[in-house]
Structures are given as structure tokens and as C-alpha cells.
Amino acid sequence: MSLNVAVIVKLEPDFSEGNISYNADGTLNRAETKSKLGAHSSVACLAAFYAKVNYGANISVATMGPPMSEIALSEAQSICDADSLHLYTDRIFASADTLATAEVLKKGIQKMKENENENNNGIDIIFSGHRASDGETGQTGPQTAWKLGYPFFGNVIDYHLNLKDRVVTLKRLVVLNGMDNIIEEIESPLPVFIALDPSYKPSFTTLSSRLKATIFEKNAEKKVANFKSYLKMFDHNSLELDPKEVGLSGSPTIVYKVERIPKGKMNRKAEIIDGRDRNQIKNIAEKILILNGQYGRS
Amino acid sequence: MEDFDVIIIGGGSAGLAALKHISALGKQAILIESGKEIGSKNVSGGILYSKNKEYGQVHNVEDIYGQKFLEEEPYERRITKYILNATSKDKVCSIDLTSIHDFQSNFGCSVLLNKLNTWFAKEAQEEAQKQGGGIVTGVHVKNIKWNNENTPIELDGGKQNSSTYDNSLIVETDELEEFRSRAIIAADGVNSEIASLLRAREKFSPDQLYQGVKVVIKLPEEIIEKRFEIGPDEGAAHLFSGDISLNQVGGGFLYTNRDSISIGGVYHLSSLLENPVEPDQLVNSLINNPLVKDLIQDEVPIKNIEKNLSKEEQTKKSFTISKLIRTWNELREIYYSPKNREKTIANGKFKSIEEIKDKINTTRRRLVEEFNTKFVTNYVELEYSAKVVPDGKRCMMNKPYYKNVLFVGDAAGRGIFLGPRIEGLNVGMDDAVRAAKTIIKYIKNNLTDPNIGEIYSQSIHESPYTRDMKKIDKDYLKVLLKAVKKIPLEDLGAKNNFLIRCMSNDFLRNFAVSTINKVGFYKFLSFVESPKIYIDIPILLAEKLGRKINTSTKFDIPELSERISKLKYYEDNNSHIIVTKPQIEFMKKMTVLCPTKCYSIEDQNVVIQHEGCIECGTCSKETSWKHPRGEKGIFFKYG
């Protein structure tokens, strides 16, 4: 019984030190900042990898963005040993909001149905990350699911499949009566759209599945060395998209104005202590002792 | 429950050799390593030997990994110079012991264990996967039990009674579901949890252990070659004894790597407990030796940012300077390495060597002129590490097995410590092959032979390394005496002089050696490994015969806290060590002897803060000591 999995990912700025660059006004300098596969996207890839190791899934990774987004696809392939990489790139896709992005992804994922192997009844599971880290755009996933007519499950922390009955059992975090982190267990027939909670970690709990995972990891390494041969590019023509429904013209969102968040006023004074200076340590220890005395602790 | 034939616990050099060999012989084996990656928990003082022994055959690294080991060179440098330095203040007396190093050896090379074991793992994994086995990292074995504890291995009139015999083991880990195995090779190092769990042996006592502490120092490739007067295919090893040991029994070492230097000390733990000295101070005393200073010093840039600038300006400047310093460092790494130079010029980044040199100079000038950076004579540390080393002659397991669990290498207490001769890696790898061969026989016998342990034990006792741990080799002693003969010994006092003269006589020496071996040479250890031999005589040598070394270099040696802050950890909330006897003297001494100062005293009780622990095992004897859970704890980048 075959299983077809799609992962949608995003190329994001690398916010780590030494890679990020700022403009004079403090905004992000996108041209100078390096880019990489988003952290949430890599969690989605891990979930797909789990399906590969445990259920022999056929994995396609997709992203929409400029041609350089292929970096994200190759990084995704190195995590999940993907079998095909799809890049939706077209000048008219630029400046898309989440809805217009979802339109492209929908068509792309529908295309996967047609393009993949014969005994294929479409994509069974679509994985996405929780949200992007360079914008509050956690709605791309749900919108794509809605457009495709897939049931959507967010904040998923674990899942298992019953391939025979084509049913997924998944656990997700919910808030109930103001209580955080309640785990809800859901059973759903395939296909489904799953957005992973950032805390998701694939649970390979048997030695043989761990061994199998190492073999797939090695495969992935080999594939990535030659990732372009797995890469397929699509523009609005090949996706049969109406130019009016994508990019800026397909985006109902209107950004009226962007306000910079004003810097908060500092109301405490910090003192920097050099740990190598014994006197400074002595001083701070004395201060702590005095404070403790004030609050009546011994 | 999943079922496997052979499980190897521990992914060090020995465990990996076992995996490689079993797989090469066509059987499935799975290696389990608790570290996040292979090599991340391994530390070595130094040298991996390939031996050509007189009394029997050993399995060398190139026998296990083939010609590929010699071609791909995952080691650092082949050691071609082996020198013992006796020190006293600014005086050093150097004795060439290259003949000792060459004794019965094909080659000996300096290694950094992360790199070496990663290479071994790549080879072993490939072979193992062909047989359906492999390596699984990040899994910590916490318990082993026999499927049916009530069915002990019983011999029925010397023959096994296979109908009642159930040898299968159940392995419990922190991370995975239980699984079954029919045999285990325990290669989990000197602090073997498996050995403690099964009570296969006592935990090693301080008398049986040495504590090794090391720092890896950065130095460009060709600068090393010039300093140590060696060629590109050569390496130097220096040993130290005398006042650098701060009155401890043991000594210092310095090995040249490809583009770094390993420097540190190995000291008898009993000696340290008697008169505790902070381990990092022992390293520092070596670094402060004038000979060492001359060997490891380098040009080091020091950031200097004006304090009167605004915070934002300071950060900006700091970023720019860091970037320039990084460029300067990278360029030097290219310039001083023939391989890197060739590669960089071939890919068109630079046209010629001169151009690289120019770029280094302009970067340096920019740093000095535009950014007020100072270049001083200092040295650069890359990594601080420590481990305890078993002294095989005192602690090797006489029967290195428990039922169908075979112990190899450090886990079985097998290391060679004979004066200037220290070997561990090659011994562990030889053990591993012997264990692998035993296992193969076992599998052919349908995994039921209850004699598996005894067969392995016999093989171990046939190993020339075992002989080295039990007996003094008269030929080795002859070579050693010949090497020191060149020194004019008149000044060392009549008593010492007489002794050495007697030992130089073939007849007297052979007689003495055979007598000592007959009586058991461990009985003479308190004489041989005494403060007199390790400290007094070297100091006397240095003072009487040493050359004076003048150096004005002053090093800015990092504090322990700086060394620890440079290390990489994957923190575990739970402590893997539990203090069980908070008031005993041993634990109080740990507040000094722990290389990363994890112990302190609160209300007369010794308490631990495990976060900085580098898992050396110094405190293992009197604590409840386990390895951290899978992926957790220290991650050595060099090792």
C-alpha cells in the first residue's frame, strides 16, 4: 500500500549571529542576510522522514519563492530523503499574501497527483511547519488545506498510520478552559493536512527503526549531492494558474502602514560583572546577601 | 521484542573495530553509542600504534581498515621524533627516545579522536549495513538482564546442556523499547557501566588509574614543522618529567598534530589524592615551561575597542574586527598548509602564494592601523578535555567477560603504562578483533556455546599486549638503557650510577628481569613508579646536565572558567552523577581534583553541579556514576 507525502517549506533569513545583517534603521537587510530552510519547515521535514522510515512514504517537497529557494529544497531533502523537489517560481508570484500563496501550493500539490507514479491516488498527507519565523503567517497551511478540501490538524506532536485502513491517529496540543498543553488524540481517514508543533520529534522507538533511519539518512546524503536532478520547476503556465489569482493581484491583503515597534523604556539598570575579577564577584555576593537579609531569608 | 545476534555497546575505537571486523566476516552486528555523534565522547592523549610484536600476532589498525587507512590518513602525523625532557625551572635535559617509540612498531601516529573515530565509523557503518547492521547513536544502555535469570550457564560434565540453556539478554535503554541480544561486546570505556551493572569487576580504584588532562592548541601547519624541525610527513612527540609535575607521579606530553598541538599531563590518581593539585594547574605548569613556550607560541591578535563609543558603535566595531580576525586566521591556515594553498590557487581564489601572503599582510595592517588591534606573542587554545586511563598492569580484567558479555579495551582495564611507553588505542582495537573472532565462532555454533567467554579470555591471554601488562620485556629495557646511555651519568650520584651500570650489563639485566617477572613485577611498582624516579631524578638530570632556556615570553593562560565556557554541551536536567557519600575524604578531594570543578562543599557536605562535567570518571569510584542519557552531556570537537 503506497503512501504519498508532500511537505511545504519556506526559505527564511538565517537569524543566527554572523549571518544576519541589519540596515542602518534597524530593519532586516534581506540582501545581505543569508537564507536557509526555516526552522519550522525542518520540523515538517522530520515528520515526513518518519513516514519514509516507518511507512515507506514517497516524499515530495514543495516551496514557492525566487529561484534561490532551491537552497531550502536541498536542505529539506537532506532531512527527509525526499524523492522529488518542486519549486514554484515565477515573477508574477511575487508579493503574494498567504491566500495567493495557498492558491499556488494548491495547484502544485494537485499537480503532484498527476505527475507521480501510476498507482497513485493523490497526496495522502501534507506536512507543514507551525508558522514562518520571518512573519506571522501561520495561515498559509490552513488556507492550502481549505483550498484542497483536506481536514487540517495543527500543533501535532505525534502521529501513527494504519495503512491498511488508511487512517491516521494523531496527537495534538490544545488549550482547554484556559489550560495549556492538553493532548488531544484524533483519528481521521486520509488524506489530511498536518501542521507540526515546533516541539515535534520523530519517535523511533525500536532499534530496527533507528537502524533503518540511518540508512535513509545516508541515502539522503547521496541524493543531496545531486539534488538538481530531483528538482522540478513550475511557473504559472505549467501550474495552469490564472495570473489574477496569484501574486500581488491575487492578494486581497492590503498593508496600510507598517509601524515600527517603539523601543521600551528601560526601567532597570544592569551592571556587567566580569567573572574573572574576584572583587566584583565579592561585591555582587555582598549585595545578594543584603537583599536576602531585607526579605527575611537566611 | 526485537531480536539481534550481537550488540556492541560503545562507539570508541575498540567498539568500532569490533563492528567493522564482525561485519567484514559477514555477520550482522549493531553498535550503540550514547553520544549525539560518534567520537563526541572520546578523548585520547595521543598516539595510535601499529605494532610488530615478537611474542605473537596483534591486529593493527591497517589490518582492520585496510590500505585505505594509510591512504586517507584520518590520523594527524606519523611520529618520527620521540623525546623525553627532564625539567627543572628554566633548565631542560632532553633525551632522544625515538628508539623506544620505534621498538617493535610499524608506525605510531598522533590522533585527534573525534576525527579518527568519525572516519572509523564511516568505514565500519558501510561494512555493517551490508549485513543489515549498523550504528545507532544517541542511545544510552541503562540495564542488561538475562531473559531467564534462573537458568544460569551450567556445564553438564564439561559439555553444555543446551536444552535448559537460555543465554539471551534483554537490553534496556533510556530511549528505545527493550530488545534481545544473544551476545554483547562491552566497549563502553574505562568507566564501563556495563561492568558495574553486571558486577563483572570492581570499579577501578585510584591506584589503578591515571588522570589525563589535555588542551588542544592551534598552530599553523608549517610553523609546527619549522619549530619541531620535522618534515611534512613527520611528527614529534615530547614527554616531560621533573618539576613540571608539581610533585606528582606521572608526566607531561606534547604531540604535534597536523595543524594543532595536543599538550597535557597524565598523573597517577593515588598520587593526586595524596597531595591534591588542580588538574588544570598541571597543564598550566607544562605550558609555562620555557621549552614548551618556545614551541607553542604564536602571533595572536587582541581586540581593542574604545570604551567611550556608544554601545551600538562598539558592537558594530566588534563585529567588523571579529570578521577581519577570522579572515586573517583563515588566510594563515591556507598560507601555512601546502594542501590548502594548492586547493585555493587551483580554484582560482588566489593566483599565487605571494598574493595570499599579501592579503594576510594587508588584513593585519588594517587591523593594526584602522582598528587599533594589537598583535602579541601568546598561544590559542581550542579545547580542554580530560579522561581517566586504566593502568593495565594493575587493573586489567583477568577474565574479561561475564557470561556472554565480552569486555574490550578500556572497559576491561587494558592499557599499557611502562615508563615512557603509553598505549591504549591499539590494545583496545586488538581486543576488539579477538572478541569479534570469538563472536563469529559463537554464531557458527548457533549462539549457544556457553564457553564463549572462556574462549575469548584465552585469546586475550595469548595477546602480546597482555604479556606487556604482566612482564617486563628485557629487549625493551635494553633499548631504553641504550637510549639513556649517551647521558654522562657521573653527576647523578653514586647510587643511581651504580644501578644504571649494573643494568647496562646484559647478564645482570637479564637475570634481574627474569627474577622480577618470576616474582611478579607488580610487586616492584612502588619502587619503579615512585616520586624518586618520576620527580627527583629528572630534576637532578635537568639541573646537572640540562641546557638553560631563556625566554621572555609571557602567556596569558585562560582561567578554568574560560576553558569550560568554550566547551560544547547538550545539557541534561538530571545529573548523571549522584553523590552518595558526601562527607568522605575522597569526595572532599574531588573539589580540587575534578578537572571542571563540579564539586563544592556546602554545610560540610560535598555537592555536585553536573552541568560542567566532562565525564572523565575521576570521581567514579565513590559516586553513583553513569553516562548521561542519549545525546546529552559533553560534546568534544577534537578529543
Side-chain angles (χ1 to χ4, degrees), chain A residues 67-128:
Chain A
M68 68 179 284
S69 302
E70 63 180 35
I71 305 168
L73 293 176
S74 82
E75 279 180 40
Q77 188 175 36
S78 75
I79 299 172
C80 67
D81 187 28
D83 305 281
S84 62
L85 308 172
H86 298 226
L87 176 57
Y88 312 132
T89 185
D90 195 322
R91 281 210 164 270
I92 66 162
F93 293 165
S95 303
D97 69 1
T98 53
L99 193 69
T101 307
E103 181 62 24
V104 174
L105 293 174
K106 177 190 86 176
K107 274 283 161 85
I109 287 164
Q110 284 172 340
K111 269 265 172 242
M112 286 176 189
K113 269 190 195 180
E114 296 161 24
N115 288 350
E116 302 302 328
N117 49 37
E118 316 78 53
N119 55 354
N120 169 342
N121 30 12
I123 298 296
D124 300 300
I125 310 177
I126 305 167
F127 291 108
S128 84

Side-chain angles (χ1 to χ4, degrees), chain A:
Chain A
M1 197 72 63
S2 75
L3 179 74
N4 294 307
V5 162
V7 191
I8 53 175
V9 299
K10 188 173 185 228
L11 185 74
E12 291 170 14
D14 182 353
F15 291 109
S16 63
E17 199 191 319
N19 292 318
I20 190 161
S21 204
Y22 292 102
N23 292 322
D25 63 353
T27 55
L28 185 70
N29 181 344
R30 287 202 183 242
E32 290 228 334
T33 300
K34 280 186 192 164
S35 295
K36 63 169 195 177
L37 178 70
H40 294 291
S41 297
S42 45
V43 177
C45 294
L46 284 174
F49 184 62
Y50 179 75
K52 174 132 228 166
V53 175
N54 274 17
Y55 311 110
N58 181 62
I59 300 175
S60 310
V61 185
T63 190
M64 186 190 93
M68 68 179 284
S69 302
E70 63 180 35
I71 305 168
L73 293 176
S74 82
E75 279 180 40
Q77 188 175 36
S78 75
I79 299 172
C80 67
D81 187 28
D83 305 281
S84 62
L85 308 172
H86 298 226
L87 176 57
Y88 312 132
T89 185
D90 195 322
R91 281 210 164 270
I92 66 162
F93 293 165
S95 303
D97 69 1
T98 53
L99 193 69
T101 307
E103 181 62 24
V104 174
L105 293 174
K106 177 190 86 176
K107 274 283 161 85
I109 287 164
Q110 284 172 340
K111 269 265 172 242
M112 286 176 189
K113 269 190 195 180
E114 296 161 24
N115 288 350
E116 302 302 328
N117 49 37
E118 316 78 53
N119 55 354
N120 169 342
N121 30 12
I123 298 296
D124 300 300
I125 310 177
I126 305 167
F127 291 108
S128 84
H130 181 58
R131 63 179 189 84
S133 56
D134 59 341
E136 284 297 327
T137 51
Q139 61 272 44
T140 311
Q143 283 170 343
T144 311
W146 168 70
K147 279 180 178 261
L148 284 162
Y150 279 39
F152 175 86
F153 302 101
N155 290 85
V156 171
I157 52 167
D158 196 15
Y159 76 91
H160 297 283
L161 292 173
N162 176 346
L163 276 184
K164 203 170 127 259
D165 303 330
R166 300 198 84 72
V167 168
V168 60
T169 311
L170 48 84
K171 288 183 184 138
R172 64 171 179 177
L173 295 177
V174 292
V175 180
L176 257 185
N177 298 336
M179 295 270 284
D180 274 344
N181 290 348
I182 291 191
I183 296 171
E184 184 178 49
E185 194 171 302
I186 298 172
E187 217 176 74
S188 163
L190 296 176
V192 290
F193 189 112
I194 292 176
L196 279 311
D197 189 79
S199 66
Y200 172 82
K201 226 185 151 191
S203 52
F204 298 115
T205 53
T206 62
L207 191 56
S208 58
S209 68
R210 288 289 303 265
L211 265 183
K212 231 163 131 189
T214 61
I215 294 170
F216 284 112
E217 278 164 13
K218 214 171 148 195
N219 275 348
E221 232 172 79
K222 276 188 205 150
K223 280 187 190 166
V224 170
N226 193 17
F227 83 92
K228 292 220 169 170
S229 64
Y230 299 89
L231 185 67
K232 296 174 195 161
M233 310 260 253
F234 300 85
D235 59 8
H236 77 275
N237 279 326
S238 52
L239 288 176
E240 295 162 51
L241 277 159
D242 181 352
K244 274 183 229 146
E245 287 185 24
V246 296
L248 191 60
S249 50
S251 301
T253 312
I254 296 167
V255 179
Y256 165 65
K257 191 179 166 191
V258 178
E259 295 233 9
R260 282 194 64 190
I261 301 166
K263 229 178 180 176
K265 216 181 152 195
M266 266 204 284
N267 49 14
R268 63 189 182 108
K269 235 177 99 191
E271 196 181 328
I272 296 167
I273 306 290
D274 186 347
R276 286 166 297 188
D277 187 340
R278 288 215 155 260
N279 274 331
Q280 290 194 35
I281 292 180
K282 208 174 142 200
N283 286 342
I284 195 78
E286 274 168 11
K287 276 187 189 172
I288 292 170
L289 284 178
I290 292 168
L291 275 177
N292 272 344
Q294 272 179 5
Y295 294 114
R297 283 186 52 194
S298 55

Side-chain angles (χ1 to χ4, degrees), chain B residues 530-547:
Chain B
S530 63
K532 191 179 160 92
I533 303 263
Y534 275 80
I535 307 156
D536 302 346
I537 292 182
I539 290 181
L540 196 65
L541 260 176
E543 271 166 12
K544 299 267 177 179
L545 305 166
R547 62 189 195 282

